[in-house]
């Protein structure tokens, strides 16, 4: 759990982790904190007491920002999960591929069977150790508190993610699961990459030679939407940093010893991803090209070929 929320919001999230059913082993809670947070120890103590014996153990990690790192969820996760690996694998000798890491935001509400569905999906695969598991995006907890425009946009986001094309690459958003051994093989999280969910899925595809590497599971983690228009715009700008993935994909071709077919599979998936550089460029171009074509057609209508006139009629009908 990576957080910057008040303790009552964190308590709500941790409570849904403690209430998980259908799992053979009680979950372990890892609270990824920043060292600059003066309330981190009091927060961790309160959450640990709240969970009691309903979890297997509680771990708080502290992240000191270093040179080259950017502030955010990605760098906190990187430190936290490295510490989990050190304790569970290096010190206690556990198999990292038998340990499932589930990343959740601080305002997340897990369905009571979420972890059970992750485990079931893992065991259903012929070899689920090097895959990412993700449920549908859901931001409906405080849906009624938002304005109409924000509500419409969140409905579109959730609908698109829930009913995604099963033949295309599926990308996790905010909350997802993967084995501790797999994330270690991927080098954990990049310390300077803001869209860590999309980037992790892309790294998984590279590791798996361009194959589809994210498994959709039928269980929800519900997150809060951003109610205020100004704050929602700020969040949208942060989400749009996903266009920087294009530069990383070009760098793969130069610095990774990948076959062209493997690289092209990963690169093609990025091109088709909503929010990628190419998809944004296409949308932006449509706002310029179509109006320009309409103005041109209106000004020179009498000089246009009849076939072109018929096409314009059909297009705008």
């Amino acid at each position: 759990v990576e957080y910057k929320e008040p303790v009552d919001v964190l308590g709500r999230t941790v409570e849904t982790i403690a209430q998980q059913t259908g799992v053979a082993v009680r979950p372990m809670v890892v609270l990824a904190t920043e060292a600059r947070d003066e309330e981190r120890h009091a927060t961790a103590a309160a959450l640990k007491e709240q969970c009691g014996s309903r979890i297997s153990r509680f771990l708080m990690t502290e992240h000191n920002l270093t040179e080259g790192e950017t502030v955010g969820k990605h760098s906190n996760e990187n430190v936290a999960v490295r510490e989990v690996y050190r304790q569970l694998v290096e010190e206690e000798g556990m198999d990292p591929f038998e340990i499932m890491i589930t990343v959740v935001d601080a305002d997340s509400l897990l369905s009571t069977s979420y972890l059970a569905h992750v485990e079931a999906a893992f065991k259903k695969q012929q070899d689920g150790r090097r895959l990412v598991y993700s449920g549908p995006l859901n931001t409906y907890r405080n849906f009624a508190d938002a304005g109409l425009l924000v509500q419409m946009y969140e409905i579109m986001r959730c609908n698109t993610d829930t009913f995604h094309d099963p033949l295309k690459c599926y990308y996790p958003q905010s909350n997802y699961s993967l084995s501790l051994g797999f994330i270690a093989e991927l080098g954990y999280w990049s310390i300077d990459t803001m869209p860590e969910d999309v980037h992790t899925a892309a790294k998984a595809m590279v590791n798996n030679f361009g194959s589809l590497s994210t498994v959709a599971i039928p269980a929800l983690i519900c997150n809060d939407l951003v109610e205020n228009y100004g704050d929602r715009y700020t969040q949208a700008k942060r989400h749009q940093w996903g266009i920087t993935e294009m530069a990383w994909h070009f760098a793969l071709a130069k610095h990774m010893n990948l076959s062209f077919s493997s690289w092209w599979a990963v690169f093609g998936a990025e091109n088709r991803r909503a929010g990628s550089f190419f998809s944004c460029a296409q949308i932006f171009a449509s706002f310029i090209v179509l109006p320009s074509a309409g103005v041109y057609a209106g000004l020179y209508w009498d000089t246009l070929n009849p076939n072109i006139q018929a096409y314009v009629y059909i297009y705008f009908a």
Side-chain angles (χ1 to χ4, degrees):
V1 181
E2 186 279 329
Y3 86 99
K4 59 178 182 180
E5 303 286 352
V7 68
D8 59 325
V9 174
L10 286 167
R12 189 180 66 203
T13 299
V14 170
E15 182 65 24
T16 65
I17 299 175
Q19 291 177 352
Q20 290 299 297
T21 60
V23 289
V25 179
R26 299 310 303 161
M28 170 183 177
V29 174
V30 180
L31 184 67
T33 74
E34 294 187 354
R36 60 180 178 171
D37 179 12
E38 298 179 354
E39 303 295 327
R40 63 189 184 282
H41 291 291
T43 298
L47 295 176
K48 183 178 181 180
E49 182 180 2
Q50 175 183 341
C51 292
S53 61
R54 295 179 296 167
I55 61 173
S56 61
R57 65 178 84 183
F58 188 100
L59 172 65
M60 185 196 78
T61 61
E62 298 180 350
H63 173 214
N64 286 288
L65 196 67
T66 59
E67 184 177 357
E69 289 185 322
T70 52
V71 177
K73 177 181 175 182
H74 54 289
S75 53
N76 282 1
E77 288 171 349
N78 183 61
V79 169
V81 178
R82 286 177 185 271
E83 178 61 19
V84 172
Y85 190 94
R86 186 189 69 80
Q87 290 193 19
L88 299 186
V89 179
E90 295 177 0
E91 292 187 358
E92 301 183 22
M94 294 185 182
D95 182 354
F97 287 100
E98 291 294 322
I99 301 171
M100 186 65 71
I101 299 294
T102 296
V103 177
V104 298
D105 287 349
D107 60 354
S108 301
L109 298 179
L110 287 74
S111 65
T112 55
S113 60
Y114 186 86
L115 297 183
H117 277 289
V118 173
E119 184 175 3
F122 174 82
K123 293 181 176 179
K124 186 178 180 180
Q125 311 304 315
Q126 288 189 337
D127 185 353
R129 296 175 298 172
R130 291 176 174 84
L131 296 172
V132 181
Y133 302 87
S134 179
L137 175 68
N138 186 288
T139 57
Y140 291 168
R141 193 202 68 82
N142 60 334
F143 183 80
D145 298 329
L148 185 61
L149 182 61
V150 172
Q151 288 180 338
M152 180 193 71
Y153 182 70
E154 293 297 333
I155 289 174
M156 291 172 57
R157 288 180 67 213
C158 294
N159 183 77
T160 300
D161 189 71
T162 302
F163 302 103
H164 64 275
D165 186 343
L167 300 180
K168 292 183 179 179
C169 180
Y170 180 46
Y171 288 91
Q173 297 193 48
S174 298
N175 310 303
Y176 52 96
S177 304
L178 69 170
S179 71
L180 179 57
F182 189 30
I183 193 60
E185 285 186 351
L186 296 180
Y188 300 94
W189 285 271
S190 301
I191 60 175
D192 58 353
T193 303
M194 189 70 70
E196 44 82 33
D197 42 13
V198 170
H199 192 65
T200 299
K203 289 168 69 175
M205 288 188 67
V206 173
N207 184 85
N208 296 338
F209 304 102
S211 62
L212 301 181
S213 300
T214 302
V215 178
I217 63 172
L220 294 176
I221 294 181
C222 186
N223 292 106
D224 289 355
L225 56 75
V226 179
E227 303 167 12
N228 180 273
Y229 287 113
D231 292 339
R232 185 63 190 83
Y233 176 69
T234 300
Q235 185 185 58
K237 288 193 297 182
R238 187 171 69 251
H239 288 167
Q240 207 52 48
W241 277 110
I243 65 172
T244 58
E245 286 293 293
M246 183 56 61
W248 181 78
H249 282 75
F250 278 124
L252 285 177
K254 180 178 181 181
H255 300 291
M256 290 285 288
N257 187 26
L258 295 174
S259 66
F260 178 79
S261 59
S262 296
W263 175 79
W264 184 254
V266 179
F267 183 74
E270 171 63 16
N271 288 346
R272 294 185 294 271
R273 179 179 63 83
S276 69
F277 177 82
F278 276 106
S279 68
C280 291
Q282 290 172 351
I283 294 173
F284 182 73
S286 68
F287 284 108
I288 298 176
V289 174
L290 290 179
S292 300
V295 171
Y296 180 87
L299 292 175
Y300 301 98
W301 183 258
D302 294 336
T303 65
L304 295 179
N305 184 288
N307 291 332
I308 297 178
Q309 292 179 345
Y311 175 79
V312 172
Y313 272 128
I314 294 172
Y315 185 84
F316 289 100

